[in-house]
């Protein structure tokens, strides 16, 4: 080998080795960088990534609590839970909703109303959830869908508890209804800061007791810690905190009484409220027509919703607490009491009734064309003499009337534990000044006082106000807040929480005066001339009542009201208030029959049926209490 | 011939004479780790583990064959292998199957091959042979031509697109050129040019490739999309801690949070279950592999075998570094498997053939120590 060549070779080899050393150093540095990174991730940041990994794998799945029951005062279940299967579709996971529903309809019956309800839910509910397309599947349907499940991604059969109202329309306005949680409900729950507790829950109370006792009925959600994979599938349960079912709510309602009262209305519209004077407990609360709350349980279909909402009878309105009616003559006992308390009349003084009262050049007509003759306070109530009260209200003046009526609860919410109560109108110059705009309208005219005195004019009260005022009178001026709930049972601890009677006020009244008014009201039902005598003929208990007829349209001065000439919807409302027994009142109630005509004719027989049932346990023979056609004795 | 202890021993000696003990031990250790990790990663698809056992047997046979071939014979195959590989790459570009949006596979009747894989061996062979032929006086022109020989396959592979393989082929070819003695000034100039061309090259990248690089800079920007791989693999590595969660107990791996956990991201599975200690063992094994490879290169008999051995060795380094760096979130996500550990028959065969070549070089090293 040549020396130069050898030298070249040596230098080349040296160069090669040098480059290998460089490469080795670079490789070592690179591995060093990796090692540094590993130490950083696995030692310094280990806790952080450990948490991340745990977060990844553990998911919290809420368990919805079972909703509490609603029972009546005797333990009869009014709202329960019924298990059943729903067919649900998760819109997010379903590629073609329309096609999926079409294909499902070959396996299970899906009616157009199911579809439209589904679409409505889709619009109302926050996405990501699965929504029911069909509820209460039969076993055969469940089997058919289960066998074909692989064909339908995003479609699931779920076993669920449904709210169930076994008695249908009975006490529907007391119970209210439940429905699926809408976006608006969700926002409300978030505002209240309780949305976490509702994470597994689909339904919420929308009205009635279901809404006002929602928190008690709902219970507390449970949670399951579930290990999930990257696709979110549950692999196994790690820990489980059971849900606490909602509390059972026991109402003061007597279902038997409620059903008797509802049946007594027949097809007529109206409301009835029966209270226990000594406690404020609501024994029956009727608003007719009612509705079937079962329709709402899984989202009402639009057809049924429209039918309920657009009906001229407004079945969804709770007339008992939100319907406003002029009290008519049922206001007279309070004016009579005012006359005694304020010294404007004595039981002995009398007037002569010519059949009208002239005031300011205007003729206020009596209900009886020739008048009632010589009328004292007792007779004014028994025969319901308008002229007596025209004069009396003129003597009392509107301010005194308003001041005296207000403590009885006229024109203010009773505070019953239901949402949506109306306050009504107790007319007074102050009210009128606030209510109207123009100076002309703001002014109180003395003639208006005369109308107020017979329960007409601006007077507008809810049936529950009429019942509460009467209960207060029956109670000698002691008022208890009306309430629907007797007690709440905590199903977990077995603890029972009673809702105590809530004293609202004691109206200072003279016992003798109250006794006199009660005596006169007893005469209404007992004396042959009494306006309620026919309805209460042969009653085996004492009762004190007052009929009332409220004008829907005003009759001009010289016109005579002829029922047959007036369209059904414009006929007078028939009212009746009564408590019994007189000595120790157990029940006080107010009945309004819309467009029922004379109070004695439509409303009083309903009251009689209710009292007979409550005091004697007598069930009426048939549905719909017969109207008392012969009762033409005015009121 | 009768089966006596002596004849058996002789036969074994003849069979194993081409194999380098230390290299074999390192590779077997790595393969063992790989199989154990794959077993854990394929808890729901045990077929993969069995397939990999078969792959391993085939690859080992290929290693043995490669180790028996003397380097001189290898040199003769260099040009044909390179030309064949190039032809196949062109064929792929024209008739290849599209899998996951990339055209990488070629149907040859009975089997599907990935011609880019064989380029990992063919390119260093070709370049080493090329430099060996012109060993006497290498001029800039020769390096330029070598660069062209390298650029052709790299471009074809990058176009498929298969950035990971292109990177590895480029790396192994570059190492040959580097060890052939390309001038430092030329290298510096090329580096400067490469930096200057970053911006225009950016325009040539596919959207998903750009996204991968951008995602590396901030994985949280796209946690459910492109960033998901990096975030989840980083969580796997970090949550492994010092000692790891234990074999078969990685939650990230077993709950399917780690994507591609059998192949490119298998290191995340390993790292989660064996922790920092396992990582150190793995790094050490790779370091030993590289050390042994460089030692073989240093003692290689010819210019050709020296270049071949050194470049192949550094290719293993590139494999390991890029893969682990990617899983640990310091390098962009490019499809580079973890050598000897990731699932995949072709890849494993290539790696083992490379080791076989190293053993061949070692066997025919200079007999006289200077």
């Amino acid at each position: 080998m040549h020396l130069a060549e050898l030298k070249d070779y040596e230098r080349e080899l040296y160069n090669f080795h040098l480059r290998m050393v460089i490469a080795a150093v670079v490789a070592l540095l690179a591995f060093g960088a990796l090692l540094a990174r590993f130490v950083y991730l696995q030692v310094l940041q280990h806790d952080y990534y450990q948490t991340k990994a745990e977060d990844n794998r553990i998911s919290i799945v809420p368990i919805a609590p079972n909703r509490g029951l609603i029972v009546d005062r005797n333990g009869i279940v009014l709202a329960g839970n019924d298990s059943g299967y729903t067919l649900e579709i998760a819109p997010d996971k379903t590629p073609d909703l329309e096609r999926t529903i079409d294909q499902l309809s070959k396996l299970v019956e899906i009616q157009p109303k199911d579809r439209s309800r589904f679409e409505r839910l889709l619009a109302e509910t926050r996405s990501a959830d699965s929504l029911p397309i069909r509820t209460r599947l039969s076993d055969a349907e469940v089997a058919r869908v289960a066998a074909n499940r692989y064909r339908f991604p995003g479609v699931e059969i779920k076993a669920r508890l449904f709210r169930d109202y076994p008695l249908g329309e009975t006490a529907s306005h007391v119970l209210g209804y439940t429905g699926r949680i809408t976006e608006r409900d969700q926002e409300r729950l978030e505002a209240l800061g309780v949305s976490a507790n509702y994470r597994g829950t689909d339904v919420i109370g929308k009205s009635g007791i279901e809404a006002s006792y929602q928190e008690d009925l709902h219970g507390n959600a449970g949670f399951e810690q579930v290990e999930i994979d990257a696709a979110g599938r549950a692999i196994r349960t790690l820990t489980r905190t059971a849900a606490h079912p909602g509390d059972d709510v026991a109402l003061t309602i007597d279902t038997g009484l409620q059903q008797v009262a509802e049946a007594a209305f027949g097809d007529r519209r109206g409301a009835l409220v029966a209270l226990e004077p000594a406690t404020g407990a609501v024994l029956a609360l009727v608003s007719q027509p009612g509705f079937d709350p079962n329709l709402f349980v899984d989202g009402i279909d639009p057809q049924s919703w429209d039918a309920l909402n657009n009906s001229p009878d407004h079945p969804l309105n709770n007339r008992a607490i939100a319907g406003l009616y002029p009290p008519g003559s049922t206001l007279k006992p309070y004016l009579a009491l005012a006359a005694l308390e304020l010294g404007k009349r004595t039981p002995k003084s009398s007037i002569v009734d010519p059949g009208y009262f002239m005031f300011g050049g205007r003729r206020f007509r009596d209900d009886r064309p020739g008048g009632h003759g010589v009328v004292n306070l007792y007779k004014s109530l028994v025969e319901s003499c308008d002229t007596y009260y025209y004069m009396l209200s003129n003597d009392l003046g509107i301010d005194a009337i308003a001041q005296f009526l207000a403590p009885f609860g006229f024109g203010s919410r009773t505070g019953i534990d239901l949402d949506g109560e109306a306050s009504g109108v107790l007319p007074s110059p102050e009210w009128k000044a606030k209510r109207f705009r123009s100076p002309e309208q703001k002014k109180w005219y003395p003639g208006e006082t005369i109308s107020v005195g017979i329960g007409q004019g601006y007077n507008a009260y809810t049936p529950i106000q009429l019942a509460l005022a009467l209960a207060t009178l029956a109670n000698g001026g002691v008022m208890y807040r009306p309430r629907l709930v007797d007690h709440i049972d905590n199903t977990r601890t077995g603890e029972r929480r009673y809702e105590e009677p809530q004293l609202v006020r004691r109206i200072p009244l003279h016992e003798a005066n109250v006794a006199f008014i009660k005596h006169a009201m007893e005469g209404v039902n007992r004396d042959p001339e009494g306006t309620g005598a026919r309805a209460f003929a042969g009653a085996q208990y004492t009762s004190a009542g007052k009929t009332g007829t409220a004008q829907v349209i005003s009759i001009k001065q010289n016109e005579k009201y002829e029922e047959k000439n007036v369209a059904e919807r414009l006929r007078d409302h028939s009212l009746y208030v009564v408590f019994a027994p007189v000595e120790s009142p157990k029940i006080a109630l107010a009945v309004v029959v819309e467009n029922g005509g004379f109070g004695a004719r439509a409303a009083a027989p309903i009251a009689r049926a209710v009292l007979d049932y409550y005091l004697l346990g007598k069930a009426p023979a048939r549905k719909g209490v017969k109207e008392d056609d012969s009762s033409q004795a005015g009121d | 011939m009768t089966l006596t202890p002596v004849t058996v021993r002789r036969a074994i000696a003849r069979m194993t004479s081409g194999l380098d003990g230390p290299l074999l031990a390192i590779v077997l250790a790595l393969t063992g780790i790989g199989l154990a990790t794959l077993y854990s990663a394929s808890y729901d698809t045990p077929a993969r583990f069995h397939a990999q056992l078969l792959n391993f047997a085939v690859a080992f046979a290929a290693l043995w064959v490669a180790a028996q071939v003397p380097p001189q014979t290898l040199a003769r195959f260099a040009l044909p292998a390179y030309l064949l590989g190039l032809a196949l790459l062109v064929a792929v570009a024209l008739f290849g199957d599209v899998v996951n949006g990339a055209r990488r596979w070629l149907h040859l009747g009975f089997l599907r091959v990935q011609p880019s894989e064989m380029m990992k061996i063919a390119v260093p062979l070709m370049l080493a042979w090329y430099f060996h032929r012109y060993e006497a006086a290498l001029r800039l022109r020769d390096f330029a031509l070598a660069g062209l020989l390298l650029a052709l396959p790299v471009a074809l592979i990058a176009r498929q697109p298969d950035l990971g393989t292109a990177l590895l082929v480029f790396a192994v070819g570059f190492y040959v050129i580097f060890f052939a003695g390309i001038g430092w000034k030329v290298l510096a100039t090329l580096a400067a040019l490469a930096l200057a061309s970053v911006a225009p090259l950016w325009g040539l990248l596919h959207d998903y490739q750009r996204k991968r690089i951008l995602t590396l800079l901030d994985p949280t920007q796209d946690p459910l999309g492109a960033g998901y791989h990096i975030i989840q693999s980083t969580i796997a590595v970090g949550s492994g801690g010092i000692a790891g969660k234990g074999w078969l107990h990685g939650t990230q791996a077993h709950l399917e949070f780690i994507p591609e956990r059998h192949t490119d991201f298998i290191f995340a599975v390993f790292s989660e279950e064996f922790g920092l200690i396992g990582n150190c063992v793995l790094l050490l094994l790779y370091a030993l592999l590289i050390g042994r490879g460089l030692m073989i290169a240093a003692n290689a008999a010819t210019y050709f075998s020296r270049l071949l051995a050194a470049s192949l060795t550094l290719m293993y380094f590139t494999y390991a570094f890029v893969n682990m760096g990617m899983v640990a979130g310091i390098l962009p996500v490019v499809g580079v498997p973890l050598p000897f550990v990731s699932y995949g028959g072709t890849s494993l065969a290539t790696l083992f053939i490379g080791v076989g070549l190293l053993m061949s070089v070692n066997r025919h090293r200079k007999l006289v120590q200077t």
Side-chain angles (χ1 to χ4, degrees), chain A residues 8-9 12-13 15-24 26-28 30-35 37-39 41-43 45-47 49-54 56-57 227-231 233 235, chain B residues 135 178-179 181-182 184 228 232 234-235 237-242 245 251-252 255-257 267 271 275-276 279-280 283 286-287 290 294 297-298 303 306 310 314 317 321 324-325 328-330 366:
Chain A
D8 262 7
Y9 176 76
E12 191 188 284
L13 202 62
N15 257 330
F16 180 75
H17 286 160
L18 177 70
R19 290 190 179 215
M20 269 204 337
V21 170
I22 291 170
V26 168
L28 275 180
F31 276 18
L34 280 180
L35 187 64
R37 176 68 174 172
F38 295 154
V39 169
L41 290 178
Q42 300 188 304
V43 180
Q45 295 280 312
H46 173 248
D47 289 346
Y49 286 111
Q50 180 66 35
T51 316
K52 282 273 195 186
E54 288 295 295
N56 256 350
R57 89 182 168 99
E227 187 173 75
I228 54 157
D229 66 12
R233 285 180 295 253
I235 305 296
Chain B
E135 185 192 352
F178 174 73
F179 287 117
I182 191 169
W184 292 109
Y228 185 79
Q232 293 299 345
T234 314
I235 291 173
V237 173
S239 64
I242 294 174
K245 294 177 186 172
T251 58
Q252 287 284 101
L255 298 171
E256 293 175 29
F257 286 101
F267 177 63
S271 195
L276 185 63
N279 288 356
C280 288
L283 277 180
Y286 285 125
I290 293 159
L294 289 179
Y303 191 53
R306 215 185 298 154
L314 282 186
F317 156 72
F321 176 66
M324 290 191 278
I330 53 173
K366 282 177 287 188

Side-chain angles (χ1 to χ4, degrees), chain B residues 36-45 253-254 261-262 266 269 273:
Chain B
T37 310
L38 187 67
Y39 183 83
S40 177
S42 19
Y43 61 94
D44 59 341
T45 48
H254 286 248
R261 64 180 190 279
H262 306 102
I266 197 166
V269 178
E273 297 190 350

Side-chain angles (χ1 to χ4, degrees), chain B residues 19-346:
Chain B
L19 305 180
D20 175 48
L23 209 48
L24 192 65
I26 293 164
V27 167
L28 288 179
L30 284 170
T31 313
I33 286 175
L35 287 172
T37 310
L38 187 67
Y39 183 83
S40 177
S42 19
Y43 61 94
D44 59 341
T45 48
R48 292 229 173 173
F49 177 74
H50 299 133
Q52 185 73 347
L53 282 177
L54 188 68
N55 290 338
F56 173 65
V58 171
F60 190 80
L63 177 148
W64 186 82
V65 171
Q68 307 308 313
V69 183
Q72 296 94 314
T73 317
L74 283 176
R76 247 181 281 143
F77 282 120
L79 186 59
Y82 176 81
L83 290 176
L84 176 68
L86 214 53
L88 288 175
L89 280 178
V90 172
V92 166
L94 295 177
F95 321 110
D97 291 348
V98 178
V99 178
N100 295 333
R103 198 182 288 276
R104 295 176 185 172
W105 298 85
L106 194 63
H107 254 288
L108 291 178
F110 58 99
L111 86 165
R112 287 198 322 170
V113 293
Q114 218 179 333
S116 52
E117 272 299 321
M118 74 177 279
M119 279 319 230
K120 289 176 185 167
I121 301 294
V123 161
L125 269 179
M126 173 68 196
L127 290 178
W129 171 79
Y130 171 80
F131 284 122
H132 183 77
R133 270 190 67 181
Y134 300 100
E135 185 192 352
L138 286 175
R139 276 170 295 180
L140 192 58
R141 204 185 57 198
D142 300 315
F143 285 108
L145 192 59
L148 189 66
L149 288 173
L150 175 59
L152 265 173
V154 169
L156 281 168
I157 296 167
R159 253 198 82 239
Q160 288 180 345
D162 185 350
L163 216 57
T165 309
L167 175 77
L168 287 171
V169 172
F170 170 78
V172 72
F174 169 79
Y175 295 140
V176 180
I177 294 171
F178 174 73
F179 287 117
I182 191 169
W184 292 109
K185 281 179 195 162
V186 181
L187 212 54
T189 314
L190 286 176
L193 276 175
L195 271 179
S197 64
V198 161
L201 272 180
W202 183 253
L204 290 176
L205 287 177
H206 279 259
D207 269 352
Y208 83 93
Q209 292 166 333
R210 280 188 219 169
K211 215 168 175 186
R212 280 178 178 183
I213 295 170
L214 287 178
T215 305
L216 176 82
L217 299 175
D218 185 9
T220 53
Q221 263 188 359
D222 188 9
L224 293 176
Y228 185 79
H229 285 49
I230 295 177
I231 290 173
Q232 293 299 345
S233 67
T234 314
I235 291 173
V237 173
S239 64
I242 294 174
K245 294 177 186 172
W247 187 49
L248 305 180
H249 287 100
T251 58
Q252 287 284 101
H254 286 248
L255 298 171
E256 293 175 29
F257 286 101
I258 301 174
E260 294 170 52
R261 64 180 190 279
H262 306 102
T263 53
D264 291 354
F265 280 82
I266 197 166
F267 177 63
V269 178
F270 172 81
S271 195
E272 184 185 19
E273 297 190 350
F274 298 100
L276 185 63
I277 295 171
N279 288 356
C280 288
V281 170
L282 202 62
L283 277 180
L284 182 68
L285 284 172
Y286 285 125
L288 287 174
L289 177 74
I290 293 159
R292 180 66 188 161
L294 289 179
M295 198 187 285
I296 289 171
N299 293 325
T302 64
Y303 191 53
F304 168 76
S305 48
R306 215 185 298 154
L307 290 181
L308 184 65
S311 60
L312 285 175
T313 302
L314 282 186
M315 182 175 74
Y316 292 133
F317 156 72
T318 311
Y319 257 108
F321 176 66
V322 171
N323 181 275
M324 290 191 278
M326 152 184 108
V327 172
I330 53 173
L331 290 177
V333 177
V334 285
V336 172
L338 187 62
F340 307 104
V341 178
S342 284
Y343 172 81
T346 320

Side-chain angles (χ1 to χ4, degrees), chain A residues 300-315:
Chain A
I300 188 165
D301 62 277
Q303 283 92 328
S304 306
W305 172 253
D306 289 345
L308 284 175
N309 229 11
N310 299 337
S311 161
D313 291 343
H314 303 296

